[in-house]
Amino acid sequence: MLRFTLGRLGIAALVVLVVSIIVFGLTHVAADPARAMAGENATAADVAAIRKAEGFDRPLPIQYGEWISRVAVGDFGRSYLMKEPVLGIVAHRLPVTLTLGVMALAFALAVALPLGVLAAVRQNSLIDRIALAVAVLGQALPNFWFALVLIVVFGVWLQWLPTSGADSWEHMILPAVALGYYATPALMRLTRTGMLEALGSDYIRTARAKGLLPPSVLFKHALRNAVIPVVSLAAVQFGFMLGGSIVIEAVFSMHGVGYLAWESIQRSDLPVIQAIVLMISLFYVVLTFLADLLNGWLDPRLRVAGA
């Protein structure tokens, strides 16, 4: 297990390094940091003075080395617009986005796992057809359009739930559903496929021949093996949800990291954009790493193959 963990840790560190290079390079290609810092009304002389004073005229690899060394100790610089440390700005908004992501993932798993198990147990039945319809519909609908539909139906017509803000758990319901439904089809289909393979395995037939009760065969033996790939996919989907929160937070006017990213992109606030993209990537890498460890613990064959 130690070799497996160290191997996955090395891959995760390499991914973080590559992501940091891409983030830094793309943000400097997309916008001129000196121009963004000087503002719209600055003259060419002002921009040139800022470029020289801040060291933006140096080669990009040197600037990257200085930036990543500061990031390594938690210093993401200062926002061009808010004139405050970026880390504090992002940390203030992060709880809203994390709460939204956790609730969206919980919604997706709460729908996908039972529906996937039922579709496998009742293969080619009405439930299986409903699960297939949910999968197709869920992947076909853009989440911003689905979010607007939820606002109109549950916020305007029925007036059951608030349609903007993040002041209470009730404000999180509609955004969590809008964000989580997109992950539901993939999780549900993977659960169904895994259950079908598990239920057709020899060890399940042996368990039934030994007289074990159907719930024990289904949940203790079949589901445990079927859920292994779902764990990895759920971790990946959670990373997608944190990234996808940019659209949902904008639709529901939630002041989280996603909305902050949207504001920063509009105003070319490069330090904030770099920090948000890198942090979301770090979450993504850490979650994938933890999912790999959990899969290795559940299935010893993965530890042998990955060592």
Side-chain angles (χ1 to χ4, degrees), residues 76-228:
F76 289 88
R78 297 178 69 85
S79 167
Y80 294 164
L81 300 175
M82 291 176 259
K83 311 299 181 187
E84 296 177 15
V86 172
L87 186 60
I89 297 172
V90 177
H92 180 67
R93 302 285 191 97
L94 198 56
V96 173
T97 300
L98 287 179
T99 304
L100 175 61
V102 170
M103 289 184 67
L105 183 62
F107 168 78
L109 291 173
V111 175
L113 290 180
L115 202 55
V117 172
L118 284 174
V121 174
R122 305 293 183 188
Q123 189 180 10
N124 297 324
S125 66
L126 178 61
I127 294 177
D128 196 15
R129 296 289 184 269
I130 292 174
L132 178 62
V134 169
V136 173
L137 192 65
Q139 291 183 332
L141 292 178
N143 58 0
F144 71 89
W145 186 83
F146 186 57
L148 293 176
V149 171
L150 291 176
I151 289 174
V152 171
V153 174
F154 295 99
V156 178
W157 291 351
L158 300 176
Q159 297 185 353
W160 287 353
L161 294 168
T163 58
S164 64
D167 298 330
S168 68
W169 64 271
E170 293 177 325
H171 289 82
M172 293 286 184
I173 294 178
L174 292 183
V177 172
L179 187 60
Y181 94 95
Y182 192 75
T184 302
L187 294 170
M188 187 270 294
R189 300 299 292 176
L190 194 59
T191 303
R192 179 185 180 276
T193 302
M195 284 297 295
L196 286 175
E197 292 179 359
L199 291 174
S201 302
D202 292 338
Y203 70 92
I204 293 296
R205 282 192 286 272
T206 302
R208 285 171 174 162
K210 291 170 63 178
L212 296 180
L213 295 175
S216 176
V217 174
L218 188 64
F219 296 108
K220 186 177 179 181
H221 296 280
L223 185 59
R224 177 174 178 176
N225 290 312
V227 83
I228 291 175

Side-chain angles (χ1 to χ4, degrees), residues 8-22:
R8 289 296 185 272
L9 192 61
I11 294 173
L14 186 61
V15 171
V16 171
L17 178 63
V18 173
V19 168
S20 70
I21 295 173
I22 293 175

